[in-house]
């Protein structure tokens, strides 16, 4: 807490009147325990399942740090969590969010390596979208001095995933070619920047047409997501490509595999094709996710191909690979301080604006990362909303989402 | 031809009275065209389909070299070819064999980079098991001065395959662990040696018990092929291994996949489980090869795993990657001259002894590579056999193979 004021000046450009929101977040709850604001998912479903609410503030356990959160990353996966469109989802109500950054407010016993006041970014296994987050030090990394909080919230998941796919799974080297879907998204932009750190890498990007002017310099060739990318890639490189990064899944998998050069690697790292509407569609779920075409190892043998899956969150939280991720993060922060990579922030949103932010990512409207800025006040349309009022009741009549709210624009970076 | 005599002294220890065989190989055929001895596969089936016969000697075309063959490599794949147990087999009669070494006897027009007298090793798309082979320069590599012909015949396929799997497909690095089946075979021994060039790599090898004393120093842990290797590996490394190299296929694939660490790579590079008897068994073929369990990319995503197939011959002859293989060969020859790797030769056999050699590889009797030594005379039992006499007729009564012939032992290296 003591250090919070000192760091605020640096963040001023990203904040809009933070004081009222912050004061509201630190009220004493009855009984002496502190409370905090957090985004709550009441149950799996549409946007109306999300609300901002008060929650008991967590305290750090042994080996944990308590972070006063400044900003959180919003990922496509959060949409899938909201829909319940993931394997073994936890039981709602829950606080979503897998990454945040902020300032260390206190540390648990036996917690080493961090001190109160440290500016940090962290992975969290849910619960990131709150004013305060406690997480084991294994998942916490110090931010470089020159990194802003929105940048930090946009950095961790996208760059670590992009780096590990390109260099740990696929072994990207000079002269190779990479095809990336959703080139305008957070991972897509991280992939493009990391590819630029290796000589003579050709990047084929696929993105919606309206993003092309904004991202055209980040990739070598850019294709509209509505055209037949296979044909277009083969026109330029009849041989195919060395690496395909696929976050769509479903029927896309087979197409991507056929685009691989011999010794090429296909990496599946998401399944956005399973999301067709605001709520989970069992039809698209089954079609795109569970019934994605299975691959015969013999076919891989005959064609000399490699197929991989990558889930950073499983790697961290189910498979205990935090020390490997730490090494990767060190390399990435080195690239950041050398100014070779820089996270692309699409827009900043108040916690209360999480629905609009999710709608934007659902509509593929973003270029780079969407950030929840914990200290940002909602734009005027929502200004009268009380954070203590559940919005679920009001919106249950509108299962297709409150599209009018898209008029309320966030701070665009 | 002129250089042949000069190089013979070096090979003397590996040869048994070569002169008679060589003289027989260079007779003038009626009409002036030269003839040569070659192993011929009359049709797909058992050992009785193989014979040594005379054939018109090929002449080099544009961009080809003509090699006076000294030694050829015999691989498990050759057994599968004999049985017709491969995808899209060529039509017999054919001369089997995919690798050989010898001395350049002449070069075609527009052939650059090689001169008469060069000691070379080569990949060939069939036709290797003959006294003379013509092949494009893309598949020919100069032998280091200190390399013997049996070593060269044992080198190309095994070391290139092992290297590419470990370093091109799987990205082997310090501290990783590798599980290799058939650790006593040619590829297995190459894998073990290449792993030893990287610091702190743990190699789990699986091999028949009787080979253990011979190969125990080449790997870290050695298991009998008849035990449950999954249990044994997990006792030592509960987490699993980083890389699995599988030449068995079939039900082995699923076991190996479950042994992978997160971010681990499984590589299928053969299917020796399809070979159960002397002739092709459609039952084991179907069970082990075509119906190997298919892999769901979603499972790879959840488990962070990589599955790959590797076929060096497809890479060379179907997918045109000879320049990449050339680079790999350069690195390998560098490791050879630094004495970091050295091919393990199991035994040398005359062309006329190809059946016994094949039986030995079928019985998993070999430690390292089986070599067909073109200049070697058959051991006494076969000494009276004429190379011009088809043996098929004599043996057709014995579909299970002439097991007595195993008494005729080759020169064991």
């Amino acid at each position: 807490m003591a250090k919070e004021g000192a760091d605020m000046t640096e963040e001023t450009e990203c904040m809009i009147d933070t004081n009222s929101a912050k004061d509201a977040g630190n009220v004493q709850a009855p009984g002496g325990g502190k409370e905090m604001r957090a985004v709550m998912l009441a149950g799996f479903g549409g946007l109306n399942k999300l609300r901002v609410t008060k929650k008991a503030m967590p305290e750090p356990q042994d080996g944990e740090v308590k972070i006063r959160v400044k900003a959180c990353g919003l990922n496509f996966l959060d949409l899938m969590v909201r829909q319940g469109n993931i394997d073994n989802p936890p039981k709602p109500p829950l606080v979503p969010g897998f990454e945040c950054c902020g300032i260390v407010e206190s540390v648990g016993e036996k917690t080493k390596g961090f001190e109160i006041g440290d500016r940090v970014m962290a992975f969290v296994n849910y619960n990131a979208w709150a004013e305060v987050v406690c997480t084991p030090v294994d998942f916490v990394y110090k931010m470089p001095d020159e990194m802003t909080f929105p940048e930090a919230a946009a950095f961790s998941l996208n760059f670590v995933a992009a780096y590990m796919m390109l260099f740990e799974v696929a072994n990207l080297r000079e002269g190779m070619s990479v095809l990336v879907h959703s080139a305008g998204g957070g991972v897509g932009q991280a992939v493009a920047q990391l590819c630029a750190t290796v000589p003579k890498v050709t990047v084929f990007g696929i993105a919606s047409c309206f993003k092309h002017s904004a991202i055209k310099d980040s990739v070598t060739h850019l294709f509209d997501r509505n055209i037949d990318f296979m044909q277009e890639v083969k026109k330029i490189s009849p041989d195919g490509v060395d690496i395909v990064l696929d976050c769509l899944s479903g029927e896309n998998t087979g197409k991507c595999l056929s685009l691989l050069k011999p010794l090429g690697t296909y990496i599946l790292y998401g399944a956005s094709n399973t999301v067709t509407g605001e709520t989970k569609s069992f039809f698209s779920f089954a079609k795109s996710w569970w019934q994605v075409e299975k691959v015969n190892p013999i076919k891989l043998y005959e064609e000399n191909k490699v197929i991989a899956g990558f889930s950073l969150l499983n790697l961290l939280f189910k498979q205990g690979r935090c020390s490997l991720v730490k090494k990767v993060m060190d390399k990435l922060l080195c690239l950041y301080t050398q100014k070779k990579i820089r996270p692309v922030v699409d827009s900043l949103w108040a916690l209360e604006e999480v629905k609009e932010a999710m709608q934007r990512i659902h509509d593929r409207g973003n270029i780079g990362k969407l950030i929840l800025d914990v200290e940002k006040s909602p734009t005027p349309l929502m200004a009268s909303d009380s954070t203590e009022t559940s919005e679920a009741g009001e919106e249950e009549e509108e299962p297709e989402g409150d599209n009018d709210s898209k008029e309320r624009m966030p701070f665009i970076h």
Side-chain angles (χ1 to χ4, degrees), chain A:
Chain A
M1 287 296 287
K3 286 273 184 83
E4 217 171 9
D7 286 300
M8 268 182 66
T9 47
E10 196 169 331
E11 293 305 302
T12 310
E13 63 168 289
C14 307
M15 290 187 292
I16 301 173
D17 184 18
T18 63
N19 293 330
S20 60
K22 208 164 54 183
D23 291 347
N26 288 337
V27 294
Q28 289 288 120
K34 277 189 176 175
E35 287 196 332
M36 62 170 187
R37 283 156 66 236
V39 173
M40 185 68 76
L41 181 68
F44 298 124
L47 294 168
N48 62 337
K49 300 293 186 188
L50 291 163
R51 69 198 70 170
V52 176
T53 184
K54 288 274 172 67
K55 210 173 171 282
M57 186 181 289
E59 289 303 323
Q61 307 298 304
D62 284 4
E64 288 190 343
V65 295
K66 177 180 176 183
I67 302 167
R68 173 63 55 174
V69 176
K70 297 287 184 178
C72 313
L74 196 156
N75 298 291
F76 199 93
L77 185 62
D78 298 311
L79 246 87
M80 296 177 65
V81 168
R82 193 199 72 214
Q83 297 190 345
N85 198 351
I86 55 167
D87 195 31
N88 287 319
K91 230 180 135 147
L94 59 85
V95 174
F98 298 106
E99 57 180 340
C100 64
C101 63
I103 295 171
V104 174
E105 189 164 282
S106 67
V107 298
E109 283 183 39
K110 299 172 191 161
T111 297
K112 284 178 186 163
F114 291 91
E115 287 178 10
I116 293 170
D118 281 348
R119 300 168 77 241
V120 295
M121 48 195 173
F123 292 114
V124 204
N125 197 11
Y126 295 96
N127 293 310
W129 293 352
E131 286 181 317
V132 171
V133 160
C134 289
T135 190
V137 287
D138 287 345
F139 307 116
V140 185
Y141 318 90
K142 285 181 190 162
M143 287 167 55
D145 290 342
E146 61 270 41
M147 189 181 268
T148 66
F149 286 118
E151 277 185 337
F155 191 80
S156 322
L157 206 142
N158 290 355
F159 272 95
V160 171
Y163 186 96
M164 294 191 80
M165 290 194 284
L166 291 173
F167 299 106
E168 298 281 329
V169 180
N171 200 6
L172 175 68
R173 281 161 298 173
E174 182 169 344
M176 283 188 170
S177 53
V178 177
L179 171 70
V180 61
H181 289 272
S182 304
V187 174
Q189 286 291 292
V191 164
Q193 291 183 23
L194 288 169
C195 284
T197 66
V198 178
K200 294 179 198 161
V201 169
T202 303
V203 181
F204 296 91
I206 297 170
S208 306
C209 252
F210 76 91
K211 301 184 184 180
H212 284 204
S213 64
I215 65 169
K216 66 181 191 309
D217 293 337
S218 63
V219 300
T220 325
H221 305 284
L222 197 50
F223 307 119
D224 178 12
R225 64 188 286 257
N226 296 314
I227 62 154
D228 179 356
F229 66 87
M230 288 179 64
Q231 267 202 336
E232 296 303 313
V233 171
K234 285 198 166 165
K235 268 186 215 164
I236 297 166
S237 177
D239 241 17
V241 295
D242 291 298
I243 300 172
V244 177
L245 304 177
D246 179 19
C247 57
L248 308 181
S249 187
E251 63 171 11
N252 202 50
T253 300
K255 284 187 193 171
C256 291
L257 269 172
S258 71
L259 259 188
L260 282 185
K261 280 185 190 177
L263 299 182
T265 303
Y266 163 87
I267 308 178
L268 179 71
Y269 71 98
S272 61
N273 270 351
T274 58
V275 176
T276 45
E278 191 191 327
T279 54
K280 176 170 159 179
S281 152
F282 281 95
F283 177 72
S284 17
F285 186 69
K287 191 174 152 206
S288 300
W289 189 233
W290 297 110
Q291 297 190 354
V292 58
E293 200 184 346
K294 290 181 184 174
V295 177
N296 190 333
I298 307 304
K299 192 175 148 73
L300 300 176
Y301 166 83
E302 283 164 2
E303 299 182 354
N304 279 304
K305 288 182 178 176
V306 184
I307 175 166
F310 184 77
S311 158
L312 178 57
L313 296 174
N314 284 356
L315 199 70
L316 281 168
F317 299 119
K318 287 188 185 167
Q319 296 153 7
R321 285 301 179 276
C322 47
S323 60
L324 175 60
V325 172
K326 175 83 174 65
K327 281 182 205 160
V328 169
M329 185 63 96
D330 289 344
K331 288 179 196 163
L332 285 167
L333 291 178
C334 188
L335 289 171
Y336 175 84
T337 51
Q338 293 167 357
K339 300 195 193 306
K340 288 185 179 163
I341 57 175
R342 181 172 175 273
V344 177
V345 174
D346 174 69
S347 47
L348 304 179
W349 306 76
L351 292 186
E352 290 77 4
E353 294 165 336
V354 65
K355 295 179 206 178
E356 289 87 342
M358 275 208 176
Q359 188 63 45
R360 183 169 169 86
I361 210 169
H362 178 277
D363 295 339
R364 274 84 169 168
N366 60 304
I367 294 170
K369 188 88 163 194
L370 286 98
I371 304 294
L372 295 179
D373 180 348
V374 177
E375 296 178 342
K376 179 178 181 290
S377 293
T379 44
L381 184 61
M382 287 282 276
S384 59
D385 280 1
S386 160
T387 55
E388 279 148 297
T389 307
S390 162
E391 293 155 1
E394 299 163 33
E395 296 190 17
E396 241 141 37
E397 308 294 281
E398 299 166 18
E400 285 313 309
D402 181 8
N403 282 317
D404 296 337
S405 65
K406 280 164 68 186
E407 290 170 17
R408 197 173 60 200
M409 287 303 293
F411 178 89
I412 302 284
H413 207 71

